[in-house]
Amino acid sequence: MNDLALNALRTRITRVFPAQIRAAMEPLTEEQIWWRPNEASNSIGNIVLHLTGSLDHFLNRNIGGFAFERNRPAEFAERTAIPKSELLAAFDAMVARGAESFDRLTPERLEDPSPETKMHTIVFEDLMNILAHLANHTGQVVWISKMLSGGAIDEVWVHAHRDFGAWKP
């Protein structure tokens, strides 16, 4: 059972949700990626910076053993409109490290104590939280993109899940 759980988590965290984010960003202009309805809301750019920092911290540093120092406030404070290509390059590098982090995981490690003991008890809970966090923000990115591009990315959820074997009709 742990093999199945590890495989399902890996597929969604390193393939399915990143593919949805890329598909949602693809039709957007640089201006749209940094658009926000008001100053208290996040742009797609800020959400992608936040996911990159969060997954580099919780997955790649805590579980994968990669060196990483996070500046969480900067993820939300960014307003300089980092080009889409640079934003996606940083995101893709984090996802590649994520795949390496999963390469280092064994099913037995899922029951190891969490490196973030104030948040969770075991590594499996850490991974479930990472998945839920990534899914939540992926939904935000997809929704904002659909709003800004007139729904041009219909069925992105189904396509990404089907393309990476996470959903079988």
Side-chain angles (χ1 to χ4, degrees):
M1 185 64 159
N2 281 356
D3 284 334
L4 181 64
L6 190 56
N7 228 9
L9 288 162
R10 177 191 187 112
T11 297
R12 286 157 182 82
I13 292 170
T14 66
R15 295 183 193 111
V16 172
F17 291 119
Q20 289 181 43
I21 288 171
R22 285 185 213 98
M25 290 179 68
E26 202 258 309
L28 301 180
T29 65
E30 306 285 334
E31 183 179 279
Q32 288 173 316
I33 287 171
W34 292 96
W35 172 86
R36 65 189 67 246
N38 57 62
E39 193 53 34
S41 297
N42 292 310
S43 66
I44 286 175
N46 292 110
I47 294 168
V48 171
L49 285 174
H50 172 61
L51 285 172
T52 301
S54 179
L55 270 71
D56 262 337
H57 177 90
F58 291 103
L59 175 63
N60 298 331
R61 186 192 85 169
N62 285 1
I63 295 172
F66 287 89
F68 180 71
E69 291 295 322
R70 185 175 185 196
N71 183 351
R72 188 177 187 277
E75 298 162 13
F76 299 105
E78 183 62 51
R79 298 290 190 273
T80 60
I82 297 167
K84 178 172 34 173
S85 60
E86 289 180 34
L87 191 60
L88 282 172
F91 180 76
D92 288 341
M94 174 277 298
V95 171
R97 284 186 295 277
E100 289 183 49
S101 293
F102 273 98
D103 288 344
R104 297 174 183 183
L105 270 172
T106 62
E108 295 74 33
R109 276 196 60 207
L110 293 178
E111 297 175 34
D112 282 357
S114 169
E116 294 278 339
T117 54
K118 66 183 181 203
M119 294 175 67
H120 301 107
T121 308
I122 60 174
V123 169
F124 179 75
E125 290 174 306
D126 291 319
L127 291 170
M128 289 299 294
N129 189 64
I130 290 165
L131 177 65
H133 184 247
L134 179 57
N136 177 59
H137 287 307
T138 298
Q140 292 174 326
V141 169
V142 169
W143 184 84
I144 294 167
S145 178
K146 283 185 173 194
M147 182 185 65
L148 293 174
S149 63
I153 58 167
D154 288 338
E155 301 300 322
V156 66
W157 189 91
V158 171
H159 292 299
H161 278 76
R162 190 176 320 149
D163 292 349
F164 296 103
W167 179 66
K168 294 172 180 53

